[in-house]
Amino acid sequence: MLKRSEMTRMAKYALVGVMNTGVDFAVFCVLVYAAGLGSAWAQPVSYGTAIANSYVLNRVWTFQVRKRQRFGDIVKFIAVNALSFAAATAALLGLEQAGFEAAIAKACSVGVSLVVNYFGYKFWVFRGEKRAG
């Protein structure tokens, strides 16, 4: 059974994920519909904004890292997200090849990315000292 502190951390992680999805979607819509940018240009900007939001919120709130931020920490964060993206894409395409409906495959691929990101963040990116309290 998970400790209460780990369950709280996982709940925070999930909430940050929901907020990141909202940031990604909102920025994308503003760029496409208000600024007239094409989807191919809006997507990396909105996704990048959500990743930046994710880094800050997960570092400060979810994993409560107090050590000084280093450039290497950001590189690790980006590497975990790249691995997560690759794993999720592989799951999506593999499940579609196996005959799953696209929406079901997409939902499963999101689950894959959540797991990869969580454990990558916990054990590699945001490990170490926590803030007091």
Side-chain angles (χ1 to χ4, degrees), residues 5-78:
S5 62
E6 191 64 21
M7 290 174 62
T8 300
R9 185 182 348 230
M10 291 173 100
K12 287 179 175 181
Y13 173 75
L15 183 57
V16 169
V18 169
M19 288 189 282
N20 293 334
T21 301
V23 166
D24 183 10
F25 187 76
V27 170
F28 182 84
C29 287
V30 166
L31 292 174
V32 169
Y33 298 110
L37 214 56
S39 295
W41 294 100
Q43 173 66 1
V45 173
S46 67
Y47 190 79
T49 303
I51 285 177
N53 183 65
S54 174
Y55 181 80
V56 171
L57 291 178
N58 277 309
R59 179 181 170 83
V60 173
W61 188 53
T62 305
F63 295 98
Q64 300 180 345
V65 175
R66 80 171 190 187
K67 68 179 182 174
R68 184 180 170 113
Q69 179 176 320
R70 297 181 320 238
F71 179 73
D73 296 333
I74 296 170
V75 171
K76 287 179 184 179
F77 184 81
I78 292 168

Side-chain angles (χ1 to χ4, degrees), residues 73-85 116-117 124-125:
D73 296 333
I74 296 170
V75 171
K76 287 179 184 179
F77 184 81
I78 292 168
V80 167
N81 277 280
L83 177 63
S84 170
F85 179 77
V116 171
N117 279 342
W124 193 42
V125 179

